[in-house]
Amino acid sequence: MTNGTVTKTYTQTTELANLNADQSNTNIRVFVVPEGSYIDWISTNIEPIGGCTSKEDKQPTKLELANVPETVSIGTTIEEAFAGVTGTVTFDGLPSPVSVTAKDLIFESIPDFDTAGEKTLIAMYNKTYKGANADKPVVATAKFVMVASIQSIAVTKAPSTMYFYKSAATQSVNTRNINLNDIEVTATYDGGNKAVIKNSELTFSRTTVPATAGKYDITITTKNGKTATTQVEVKASTATTIYPTPSSLGAEDNTSGWTLSNFFGVASGATVHARFINYCPGTDNWFNWIIEIRGGDHIFDLRADNFGWSEQRDWGAGTDPGWLPTIITSGGQANWATWLAAMNGADCDAYITNCGNGCFDAQVIMKGTDNKTYYQYYLDIPVSTATDVIAAFGIDHSHILFYTEK
């Protein structure tokens, strides 16, 4: 099948009657029948009676490459260097491209593949949709750099201490992601030259750590087998309650548009806690509380209704599930209509943690007017700095009342 590989094995449990006129003929007849569809034969190891009455074959018209390495060590074979390359092939008249792997492609490097410097990879695909030789192959190119072989690596920036805060919302979260961008590795090449190597060119023995205070080893390996070891320390963060201003945000009749409170700082490793009552009109999911986080040149807005966005990406159902928040109740997955009704007057505890490693967390516990507790969390959201993280609460056609020191 063009969208995957499917194997179906059927075992006949009772003996079939031989309906052939000649009882010595033990051949069986098999029918492949479409219903409300059509079958376009790509290949077969039998020739059906009457032939493969499929549509015409398709010629390739375009090839696009992905996963081309940025650097390749001198001495690596071209097969090894580009084994992970993938591509998509567009065929004439077909609405969707077809994925191919390195084994389906022919690779060449110009001007050569054995000296240092920038090179051009030429990849060719020369098959039709059904696997016959194409009338004309399709070609794609990409740039890469040949570099001297890595003789050793050293960790020149160890991962920062990673802080976490476990609230009632994250009691079931047992592991945390390591921010690999927080680690810097320098390679020493043939001839003694040194340069920082991109983490995408390295393999890490672990990408997560237990959500438990402790120190955890990480082994880093290059493509040619050179290794270095570092360690990430995980610590529990302590929450400090703050009292955002103004204490009443948004008009009581829920007519105020997008409005933010005053910003407050969240120091590296710290967790701030604020408690508020959320009021909403009960019309649209997004007319509820908002949390805005700013770190360096990154701005993130997190909504109460399981959605968020930044200048870099959007969060929503089915997009980047590793970073999606989760809304659950003490009794299981929330029903949206029930949740929305319960949010008008919900008593909320929000926790914002600067994890200290270039990421932050946001956790909210919402005690609804239906006497159910709803939990939501956003974890490991990256900012461009571990310091100078600021945050604010907001509303959109809703209003919130903060608890105060008084």
Side-chain angles (χ1 to χ4, degrees), residues 196-331:
V196 173
I197 185 170
K198 291 188 175 182
N199 288 350
S200 59
E201 299 292 316
L202 301 167
T203 300
F204 295 81
S205 62
R206 68 188 314 152
T207 57
T208 64
V209 291
T212 305
K215 297 180 179 181
Y216 304 94
D217 291 334
I218 306 171
T219 299
I220 304 168
T221 307
T222 66
K223 291 180 179 179
N224 68 341
K226 306 303 180 183
T227 62
T229 301
T230 189
Q231 191 176 71
V232 58
E233 183 174 9
V234 179
K235 289 185 177 181
S237 178
T238 301
T240 300
T241 300
I242 63 169
Y243 305 94
T245 55
S247 59
S248 178
L249 187 63
E252 291 187 5
D253 61 359
N254 297 321
T255 58
S256 298
W258 182 280
T259 305
L260 293 177
S261 72
N262 291 336
F263 279 87
F264 48 88
V266 187
S268 179
T271 297
V272 297
H273 161 254
R275 187 179 177 190
F276 58 89
I277 305 296
N278 180 87
Y279 295 96
C280 64
T283 53
D284 294 300
N285 284 3
W286 53 90
F287 290 163
N288 280 288
W289 60 258
I290 299 160
I291 296 175
E292 180 163 300
I293 308 287
R294 298 183 181 184
D297 58 357
H298 291 195
I299 300 175
F300 297 87
D301 290 288
L302 315 176
R303 289 192 333 209
D305 66 329
N306 197 35
F307 191 84
W309 68 89
S310 74
E311 78 283 0
Q312 297 173 310
R313 69 177 68 206
D314 288 339
W315 290 284
T319 61
D320 205 1
W323 291 14
L324 278 177
T326 300
I327 293 182
I328 60 174
T329 73
S330 54

Side-chain angles (χ1 to χ4, degrees), residues 29 94 103 140 148 218 230 263 325 332 341 343 374 394:
R29 292 182 292 275
L94 291 183
K103 65 182 180 60
I218 306 171
T230 189
F263 279 87
M343 285 300 290
Y374 297 82

Side-chain angles (χ1 to χ4, degrees), residues 72-77 113-117 145-150 190 224:
V72 175
S73 296
I74 295 174
T76 307
T77 67
F113 195 67
D114 53 12
T115 62
V145 178
M146 294 293 296
V147 297
S149 179
I150 296 175
D190 284 338
N224 68 341

